[in-house]
Amino acid sequence: MTPTRVLVLNSGSSSLKYQLLDMRDGSRLAVGLVERIGEQTSRLRHTPLATGESREQSGPIADHDTALKAVAEELDRDGLGLDSPELAAIGHRVVHGGMFFTEPTVVDDSVIAEIERLIPVAPLHNPANLTGIRTAMALRPDLPQVAVFDTAFHTSMPESAARYAIDPRIADRHRIRRYGFHGTSHAYVSRETARLLGKEPQDVNVIVLHLGNGASASAVERGRCVDTSMGLTPLEGLVMGTRSGDLDPAVIFHLARVGDMSMDEIDTLLNKRSGLFGLCGDNDMREIRRRVDEGDEAAALAFDIYIHRIKKYIGAYYAVLGTVDAVAFTAGVGENAAAVRSAAIAGLTGLGLAVDEELNAVRGGEARLISPGDARVAVAVVPTDEELEIADQTYALVGPAAGKDG
């Protein structure tokens, strides 16, 4: 029997998301989420896709080791256990791979050591990712564990886009450069956009707008990322749910000197109390739009600032690419908020961009065009599928076809 299943794990600081996929057709066999790990109110929600009926369990789950063992038990109840001979590998989302990891990588001691060395530039994410890897390795030491990096897709950026204008000796010493994030989403969406247009990825230029609570933009030239909005960390770029995105770096000095704020306080302000939440007290776009419709001025200003930043990046990346075949909206807000898509494209007819409001209003889970048929540049809604992308990359590396062309 040739194993064809891949378990995808996305380990957060207090959560564990997972999906089990069959790589013969990319179908999902089970999905789930463990929340509030380390608390008394932990919860595991597991859904086997054969029945579609979710099971939940509540109560303290002390750590990721306990969480993954609980997940294994739930999978086993469905005949999908981690000891199944049909399981080919476990794929792990790792947020920061620096410049060292440019593609999916089978985990060994040296890989773990390098991920650890990158913790200073991803202090919230890489430790949790490592915990998930170590726990999975302990449960199935015989099984390939593959790390798929959020930053990998962006390592194709030219130095002119990746470098900041600071002393290169200092930058290199402290690994300061633009890394970018959401790479698995940008890779998947840019490729699916090309497919939607009936073309190959190497034949199109796409601006991808990944708009969720975290948000990022990328300029993808013929299948390769040439610029992206997030930088050394996920703080730079678009206005996000709780992150400020771009701002004058001197704001930090000003807050420290005049506002008498500590570095930790400023970090918390910019990452957790800014963005939409900082502007109007809400980071849920549905609630913000409800408030806008009711005449709430704070919500309206927050929405306008959010849209203004998106427009700036569309224009900037249009200039970077020279020619653009499509602008693709994805992630929670990008896929579901018609008002955001309409506002972001409004007034850009000079760039060949327009939205058909009837098409834009249609809700659905399929990739689709929302631009008029005669538009010079396509505008698309492309649901992202980071788990499938991680599974695909994992299976391509360790599955039965791996290495046959080498």
Side-chain angles (χ1 to χ4, degrees):
M1 175 187 297
T2 300
T4 60
R5 296 175 182 171
V6 172
L7 177 64
V8 175
L9 298 180
N10 182 351
S11 300
S13 58
S14 61
S15 66
L16 175 64
K17 299 177 185 178
Y18 63 93
Q19 293 193 13
L20 181 66
L21 299 95
D22 189 326
M23 302 316 298
R24 287 175 295 186
D25 56 7
S27 61
R28 286 163 174 76
L29 303 176
V31 301
L33 170 65
V34 187
E35 299 177 283
R36 298 189 289 275
I37 296 172
E39 301 179 21
Q40 294 297 309
T41 56
S42 306
R43 184 180 72 162
L44 189 161
R45 181 181 179 88
H46 172 85
T47 306
L49 274 300
T51 65
E53 296 181 2
S54 299
R55 302 193 295 265
E56 289 192 17
Q57 54 176 281
S58 300
I61 296 177
D63 50 34
H64 284 74
D65 180 72
T66 306
L68 189 50
K69 288 177 180 175
V71 169
E73 290 176 2
E74 290 295 329
L75 290 168
D76 194 52
R77 287 177 60 182
D78 304 313
L80 304 170
L82 293 190
D83 59 350
S84 169
E86 295 183 65
L87 189 60
I90 299 178
H92 300 265
R93 179 200 180 203
V94 179
V95 167
H96 216 310
M99 292 302 293
F100 190 84
F101 298 108
T102 62
E103 55 189 19
T105 305
V106 176
V107 176
D108 58 19
D109 289 344
S110 65
V111 170
I112 288 175
E114 184 63 24
I115 296 172
E116 285 180 327
R117 281 194 286 271
L118 288 162
I119 285 175
V121 290
L124 299 178
H125 298 97
N126 275 28
N129 301 154
L130 279 170
T131 298
I133 289 172
R134 288 183 169 121
T135 298
M137 291 178 75
L139 289 178
R140 280 297 305 269
D142 60 311
L143 202 66
Q145 310 282 333
V146 176
V148 178
F149 299 89
D150 271 15
T151 49
F153 182 63
H154 304 304
T155 58
S156 59
M157 284 189 294
E159 287 294 279
S160 57
R163 284 278 186 178
Y164 292 110
I166 64 174
D167 186 330
R169 293 168 298 178
I170 293 174
D172 290 345
R173 185 182 312 141
H174 300 290
R175 302 185 182 210
I176 298 171
R177 63 185 290 120
R178 182 181 308 284
Y179 292 104
F181 300 90
H182 296 144
T184 52
S185 177
H186 286 280
Y188 178 85
V189 171
S190 59
R191 193 172 59 247
E192 288 299 302
T193 302
R195 182 179 302 174
L196 184 63
L197 298 179
K199 299 180 179 181
E200 295 297 319
Q202 62 268 23
D203 295 327
V204 299
N205 291 350
V206 183
I207 297 171
V208 178
L209 299 169
H210 177 109
L211 307 179
N213 193 51
S216 60
S218 68
V220 183
E221 183 178 54
R222 301 184 181 277
R224 292 169 58 83
C225 177
V226 294
D227 207 348
T228 192
S229 59
M230 287 179 167
L232 173 72
T233 76
L235 180 58
E236 189 179 2
L238 301 177
V239 175
M240 304 178 222
T242 65
R243 299 184 190 121
S244 65
D246 294 337
L247 83 166
D248 182 347
V251 169
I252 296 170
F253 314 144
H254 184 77
L255 290 173
R257 293 167 180 159
V258 179
D260 197 29
M261 294 177 68
S262 69
M263 286 296 108
D264 285 344
E265 288 172 330
I266 297 171
D267 189 315
T268 298
L269 171 69
L270 298 181
N271 277 290
K272 297 181 179 179
R273 302 194 61 80
S274 294
L276 293 169
F277 177 80
L279 288 166
C280 71
D282 270 311
N283 62 325
D284 187 320
M285 186 55 71
R286 293 165 296 187
E287 181 63 17
I288 290 171
R289 285 304 309 172
R290 182 192 66 77
R291 289 172 55 186
V292 169
D293 292 341
E294 292 178 353
D296 187 304
E297 292 184 1
L301 179 59
F303 184 79
D304 288 347
I305 293 171
Y306 180 88
I307 294 299
H308 181 75
R309 189 76 56 82
I310 294 172
K311 283 180 180 286
K312 285 178 68 174
Y313 271 91
I314 291 174
Y317 287 170
Y318 207 116
V320 167
L321 292 169
T323 60
V324 175
D325 296 285
V327 173
F329 289 87
T330 194
V333 175
E335 294 170 27
N336 297 298
V340 167
R341 298 190 297 261
S342 180
I345 299 300
L348 301 182
T349 53
L351 299 179
L353 290 161
V355 164
D356 181 308
E357 295 300 341
E358 288 189 10
L359 294 175
N360 189 35
V362 174
R363 296 181 65 89
E366 301 297 321
R368 62 196 186 278
L369 296 178
I370 59 170
S371 47
D374 59 352
R376 193 167 81 242
V377 178
V379 180
V381 179
V382 181
T384 192
D385 198 333
E386 294 174 271
E387 289 76 19
L388 178 58
E389 181 72 12
I390 291 170
D392 278 340
Q393 293 189 28
T394 297
Y395 198 63
L397 185 62
V398 302
K404 284 189 177 181
D405 297 328

